[in-house]
Amino acid sequence: MQRPVAEIFSQGDEVVTGEIMDTNSAWLSRELTDLGFDITRHTAVGDRLEALVDLLREISGRADLCMCTGGLGPTCDDLTAEAVSLAFGLPLELDADALAQVESYFTRLGRTMPEVNKKQALFPRGSERLDNLWGTAPGFALQGGGCRFVFMPGVPSEMKAMFRRWIEPDLRCRFRLSPARLVVLNTVGLGESSLQERLNQVVLPSEVKLGFRAAGPENQVKLLFPATFPETELDDIVKRAADAIGDAVFAIGGSEEPDSDLASVVGRELAARRSTISIVETVSGGKLASRCAGQPWFHGAVVIPDSAGLHRYFGMAPWDDLVRASTRIVLDSREQGADYALAQIAHYDGDQLHDEAGTVEVHFILSALDGVWRQTRLIAGDIERKRSTATALSFDLLRRYLQKKPGLHAL
Amino acid sequence: MQRPVAEIFSQGDEVVTGEIMDTNSAWLSRELTDLGFDITRHTAVGDRLEALVDLLREISGRADLCMCTGGLGPTCDDLTAEAVSLAFGLPLELDADALAQVESYFTRLGRTMPEVNKKQALFPRGSERLDNLWGTAPGFALQGGGCRFVFMPGVPSEMKAMFRRWIEPDLRCRFRLSPARLVVLNTVGLGESSLQERLNQVVLPSEVKLGFRAAGPENQVKLLFPATFPETELDDIVKRAADAIGDAVFAIGGSEEPDSDLASVVGRELAARRSTISIVETVSGGKLASRCAGQPWFHGAVVIPDSAGLHRYFGMAPWDDLVRASTRIVLDSREQGADYALAQIAHYDGDQLHDEAGTVEVHFILSALDGVWRQTRLIAGDIERKRSTATALSFDLLRRYLQKKPGLHAL
């Protein structure tokens, strides 16, 4: 079966001049590929009416689907609706519901809608409105020539939310898709080359495609199976791949499963136990708290910049041994009434953190109901990598404890 | 003077399927914009010969310059040279020097060149070779129709090195360039539509282009002036625009200035004073600490999930008035020895934070050497937006204090 052809189109001077990285296109492409579309082209153009009109017409003759982002705002450089109107000869009409939505967005903020925002409720005749519950700019979809166009705001969070809520279900109904089956093994703590080496021992049939997605300490191994691949054979291959990688695998799932990152996996385990956790973070510099905040199991965090800070907040001296130092932090966290306390203890200063060639030895400490557990790792790389690694390894200690993995060290 | 028109073209299945982010396009666009080109379009296509041939012909009729990345490797899906040959009717010819370079690359690694790599020394007739001293794939440049095409490898480090060494100097000679001047007004707390409304009162000459870049609570107003625009008139326009927007403007600069975000601006003020700050954050959920961590002026943070947490950590009850509540937090922060303490105080629970339609009233409190200052704002949107807004408004209170803006409220 021929897959339907899709193109991706981004609008904005800030994209063509390189001021911002167009992350939307890559995200949408992955989603559409997983759904079973054949993506043939990405195009980005600036905020110029003729360029937009030309491009829309071009695409309408080439693709079955076009996903468009940007250009739906209230200002003079937001030209999408006007361009669509000109490209396909559809007059702009005021959508009363869209107007009410934009107005209510401002009302909730206790403000009156500025006159310029009225523009955001103008759509080409025949459009289907796509409500934006996450921002001001509603989207719309319509048929232009042989192609279905879907127009979304350029703000990634709004675009993604609208895609999940309205667009993805509609695409599944509207197109005859037979997606390949993607199985993702989520791993933590192993680099791409280590993963590749461990997987070399697994013999894959030629029609199964192996891929990797490196994202720092959390890396994904992707197995892409044809739609008609036998189920039992698939299960067997996935099991052999997971065994080859070992306990670095923390979750196995399809691509459509959202929240398959380590923080979400750990969060679900905590939520299921109705447990709470309090955090003391050093090297990860607020990143760990950011990943926990907003979750019912998050009890609070202290973010400490360096060893001097550990002394200020917990009276911890550099000559304290690990047990003594940890005890103070654990006791302090327990005072706040959390079920678990997760801490990073390390001796370092700011220069060491910033030095790309410098390493920091970090003790990850978990105080649980049945004891205090520890994992010690040397962390390297630039400051961002050190922060991400420390964040992932904190979650990983908790994950190994909650999933009852062997090899945990008691303090 | 009309600026020469440039397009960016990326080749690769991994780009169109979203497996990798095409960072080359944004990088090249910034470089070319700074050189004085007018970038009109980015296009990415997969590894298909007809698609490549079509695209090369399209671009040759539209642009003066096209920068192309990818497709120069040795494998069967590397089709660039073949596509150029077909698009412009130029037979492929073996370049003996290029072959020697590819061979010597393998010799240096102590290996024999595989036969497939011979392909990398085949160029369309009339090409100028671009030596790749940083990898195996040489690039080439040629005239196709009215357009100069420059073909570079897709590996970012090789592409950038070749651009700097060979391509940029050549472009400066080959094209008559006079770069436009971009002035950016960085603002906080005003939406795009409010900015547009305030700027409506400033009359701009038609050759000055006004643009916006929305990034949540921090929004940029961009004024693009032609290269020959008179300096005093430029200064006057920038001043009138800044006055129209008012004290929401926190920094004015050119596009090339890095770190012009609010956190960096505030950080520089703190560093210049050799002051330190300690933080209590609620709604921003670790985002504020993340922005401060790693900076010498960051003294530590407490991240509190909700009102119950304010009670646990600071004994703050919902019936406490703002002065009493703030006093406790400020005293506690002072105990840690920081010069400033910045806190968010709000009464809310997790549901309120997650509710996209729900708002939270946040008191931003700054304890400084000469008193305690306050700003109260209603924060709306989904949890991510609430967190970003609370982060920006915390920095903004500090910024207004440090920049001695009028209108601060003492507690």
Side-chain angles (χ1 to χ4, degrees):
Chain A
M1 198 181 85
Q2 197 74 16
R3 291 182 296 164
V5 168
E7 292 199 23
I8 312 282
F9 156 33
S10 315
Q11 188 204 325
D13 281 345
E14 66 277 22
V15 174
V16 286
T17 59
E19 268 179 81
I20 64 163
M21 188 80 71
D22 173 22
T23 58
N24 290 334
S25 295
W27 189 88
L28 283 167
S29 296
R30 279 197 305 273
E31 292 290 329
L32 294 182
T33 301
D34 289 349
L35 282 172
F37 286 92
D38 181 18
I39 320 286
T40 53
R41 205 185 262 232
H42 294 184
T43 313
V45 292
D47 304 312
R48 295 180 206 189
L49 199 56
E50 324 80 75
L52 290 165
V53 171
D54 289 349
L55 181 59
L56 289 166
R57 287 193 185 139
E58 275 176 38
I59 294 174
S60 72
R62 277 193 313 239
D64 303 306
L65 173 70
C66 179
M67 305 296 285
C68 317
T69 57
L72 300 182
T75 60
C76 54
D77 54 6
D78 291 302
L79 299 167
T80 300
E82 196 179 340
V84 175
S85 162
L86 287 169
F88 304 118
L90 303 165
L92 290 174
E93 291 173 348
L94 187 76
D95 180 311
D97 289 337
L99 185 61
Q101 284 171 18
V102 178
E103 277 173 340
S104 84
Y105 180 84
F106 285 94
T107 309
R108 282 204 304 278
L109 295 174
R111 291 165 49 196
T112 331
M113 185 189 81
E115 190 58 26
V116 290
N117 288 76
K118 202 172 167 183
K119 176 177 161 183
Q120 295 183 291
L122 288 174
F123 300 125
R125 179 177 292 166
S127 300
E128 301 145 45
R129 188 184 66 244
L130 298 168
D131 292 339
N132 182 349
L133 312 177
W134 307 269
T136 51
F140 60 98
L142 50 71
Q143 194 71 21
C147 179
R148 180 167 175 85
F149 286 87
V150 180
F151 297 93
M152 296 167 288
V155 180
S157 59
E158 297 176 17
M159 183 280 286
K160 290 177 190 176
M162 287 170 75
F163 183 85
R164 281 273 175 269
R165 184 77 74 93
W166 319 120
I167 299 160
E168 184 185 346
D170 178 70
L171 293 177
R172 287 182 191 277
C173 298
R174 191 174 292 269
F175 290 91
R176 277 192 57 203
L177 300 166
S178 90
R181 276 196 58 189
L182 178 65
V183 177
V184 178
L185 306 177
N186 295 282
T187 75
V188 59
L190 292 180
E192 223 177 319
S193 46
S194 307
L195 289 169
Q196 174 82 68
E197 276 202 331
R198 293 186 186 203
L199 286 166
N200 280 344
Q201 55 190 283
V202 182
V203 181
L204 294 177
S206 62
E207 67 268 39
V208 179
K209 206 176 154 192
L210 173 69
F212 294 91
R213 180 151 158 230
E218 291 180 45
N219 289 307
Q220 293 186 330
V221 173
K222 303 189 298 179
L223 293 166
L224 195 65
F225 297 88
T228 54
F229 200 81
E231 194 71 15
T232 50
E233 207 180 324
L234 183 148
D235 290 343
D236 180 57
I237 288 172
V238 170
K239 191 180 171 312
R240 281 190 289 130
D243 288 347
I245 300 170
D247 70 356
V249 175
F250 66 82
I252 300 176
S255 66
E256 286 161 51
E257 271 157 86
D259 305 330
S260 60
D261 61 299
L262 189 52
S264 305
V265 168
V266 168
R268 278 195 294 274
E269 298 265 5
L270 289 173
R273 288 168 167 77
R274 297 181 176 277
S275 298
T276 56
I277 189 159
S278 113
I279 284 165
V280 176
E281 59 178 311
T282 53
V283 176
S284 55
K287 228 181 162 96
L288 187 54
S290 300
R291 297 292 290 274
C292 300
Q295 301 302 322
W297 43 266
F298 176 57
H299 211 71
V302 179
V303 185
I304 307 278
D306 50 24
S307 308
L310 280 173
H311 184 68
R312 281 198 304 275
Y313 275 81
F314 298 103
M316 203 189 117
W319 52 85
D320 282 354
D321 70 14
L322 191 60
V323 175
R324 205 170 131 180
S326 308
T327 308
R328 286 188 197 164
I329 288 182
V330 166
L331 284 178
D332 190 89
S333 302
R334 276 298 162 74
E335 249 174 60
Q336 317 291 347
D339 301 309
Y340 298 95
L342 193 56
Q344 295 159 8
I345 299 183
H347 290 297
Y348 65 100
D349 59 21
D351 291 342
Q352 222 173 320
L353 210 57
H354 283 279
D355 179 8
E356 281 171 34
T359 56
V360 180
E361 189 188 48
V362 185
H363 306 287
F364 298 91
I365 310 286
L366 170 67
S367 154
L369 310 171
D370 57 351
V372 178
W373 307 90
R374 167 185 71 80
Q375 195 161 283
T376 298
R377 292 283 287 269
L378 207 59
I379 288 182
D382 66 14
I383 186 165
E384 271 315 310
R385 182 177 282 254
K386 285 193 184 104
R387 290 169 73 172
S388 307
T389 307
T391 303
L393 292 177
S394 288
F395 280 127
D396 194 42
L397 172 60
L398 185 55
R399 191 267 303 186
R400 284 167 191 269
Y401 174 84
L402 295 170
Q403 292 183 347
K404 300 194 201 315
K405 297 285 176 194
L408 277 188
H409 300 282
L411 186 64
Chain B
M1 196 183 84
Q2 199 73 17
R3 290 182 295 162
V5 168
E7 293 200 22
I8 312 283
F9 156 34
S10 316
Q11 188 204 324
D13 280 345
E14 67 279 20
V15 174
V16 285
T17 58
E19 265 178 82
I20 63 161
M21 188 82 71
D22 172 24
T23 58
N24 290 334
S25 295
W27 190 86
L28 284 167
S29 295
R30 278 196 305 274
E31 293 291 327
L32 294 182
T33 301
D34 289 349
L35 282 173
F37 287 91
D38 180 17
I39 321 286
T40 54
R41 204 185 263 230
H42 294 185
T43 312
V45 292
D47 305 312
R48 296 182 207 189
L49 198 58
E50 325 81 75
L52 290 164
V53 171
D54 289 350
L55 182 58
L56 289 167
R57 288 192 183 138
E58 273 175 39
I59 294 174
S60 72
R62 276 192 314 238
D64 302 307
L65 173 70
C66 179
M67 305 296 285
C68 316
T69 57
L72 300 183
T75 61
C76 54
D77 55 4
D78 289 301
L79 300 167
T80 301
E82 196 181 341
V84 175
S85 163
L86 287 171
F88 304 119
L90 304 166
L92 290 174
E93 292 173 349
L94 187 76
D95 181 310
D97 290 338
L99 185 61
Q101 284 172 19
V102 178
E103 277 173 339
S104 84
Y105 179 84
F106 285 94
T107 309
R108 283 203 304 278
L109 296 173
R111 292 163 52 196
T112 331
M113 186 189 83
E115 191 57 29
V116 290
N117 287 77
K118 200 172 167 184
K119 177 178 163 185
Q120 294 183 291
L122 289 174
F123 300 125
R125 180 177 292 166
S127 301
E128 301 146 45
R129 189 185 66 245
L130 298 167
D131 292 339
N132 183 349
L133 312 177
W134 307 270
T136 52
F140 61 98
L142 51 70
Q143 194 72 21
C147 179
R148 179 168 175 85
F149 285 87
V150 180
F151 297 93
M152 296 167 287
V155 180
S157 58
E158 298 176 19
M159 182 281 286
K160 288 177 190 175
M162 287 169 74
F163 183 86
R164 281 276 174 267
R165 182 77 71 93
W166 319 120
I167 300 160
E168 183 184 347
D170 178 69
L171 294 177
R172 286 183 192 276
C173 298
R174 193 174 291 271
F175 290 91
R176 278 191 58 204
L177 300 166
S178 76
R181 278 196 55 188
L182 177 65
V183 178
V184 178
L185 307 177
N186 294 283
T187 74
V188 58
L190 292 179
E192 226 179 318
S193 46
S194 306
L195 289 170
Q196 172 84 69
E197 278 206 328
R198 293 185 186 202
L199 287 166
N200 281 344
Q201 57 189 280
V202 182
V203 181
L204 294 177
S206 61
E207 66 269 39
V208 179
K209 203 172 159 199
L210 174 66
F212 296 90
R213 177 156 156 224
E218 291 180 44
N219 290 305
Q220 291 187 329
V221 174
K222 303 185 297 179
L223 292 166
L224 194 66
F225 297 87
T228 54
F229 201 82
E231 194 71 15
T232 50
E233 207 180 323
L234 182 148
D235 290 344
D236 179 57
I237 289 173
V238 171
K239 191 181 173 311
R240 279 190 289 130
D243 288 348
I245 300 170
D247 67 1
V249 175
F250 66 83
I252 300 176
S255 64
E256 287 161 51
E257 271 158 85
D259 303 330
S260 60
D261 62 299
L262 189 52
S264 305
V265 168
V266 168
R268 278 195 293 273
E269 298 265 4
L270 288 173
R273 287 169 169 78
R274 298 182 175 275
S275 297
T276 55
I277 189 157
S278 113
I279 284 166
V280 176
E281 57 178 313
T282 53
V283 175
S284 55
K287 230 183 160 95
L288 188 53
S290 299
R291 297 293 291 272
C292 300
Q295 301 301 323
W297 42 266
F298 176 56
H299 211 71
V302 179
V303 185
I304 306 279
D306 50 24
S307 308
L310 281 173
H311 184 67
R312 281 198 305 275
Y313 275 80
F314 300 102
M316 202 189 117
W319 53 85
D320 280 355
D321 70 14
L322 191 60
V323 175
R324 207 170 128 179
S326 309
T327 308
R328 286 188 198 166
I329 288 182
V330 165
L331 284 178
D332 190 89
S333 303
R334 277 297 161 76
E335 249 173 60
Q336 317 292 347
D339 301 310
Y340 298 94
L342 194 56
Q344 296 159 6
I345 299 183
H347 291 298
Y348 65 99
D349 58 23
D351 292 342
Q352 222 173 321
L353 209 58
H354 283 279
D355 179 9
E356 282 157 22
T359 56
V360 180
E361 189 187 50
V362 184
H363 307 287
F364 298 90
I365 310 286
L366 170 68
S367 154
L369 309 171
D370 58 351
V372 178
W373 307 89
R374 168 185 69 81
Q375 193 161 284
T376 299
R377 290 285 285 272
L378 207 58
I379 288 183
D382 66 13
I383 186 165
E384 271 315 309
R385 185 177 282 252
K386 285 192 184 105
R387 290 169 73 172
S388 308
T389 307
T391 303
L393 292 177
S394 288
F395 280 127
D396 193 43
L397 173 59
L398 184 56
R399 190 268 304 187
R400 283 167 191 270
Y401 173 84
L402 295 170
Q403 293 183 345
K404 300 193 198 319
K405 296 287 175 192
L408 276 189
H409 300 283
L411 186 65

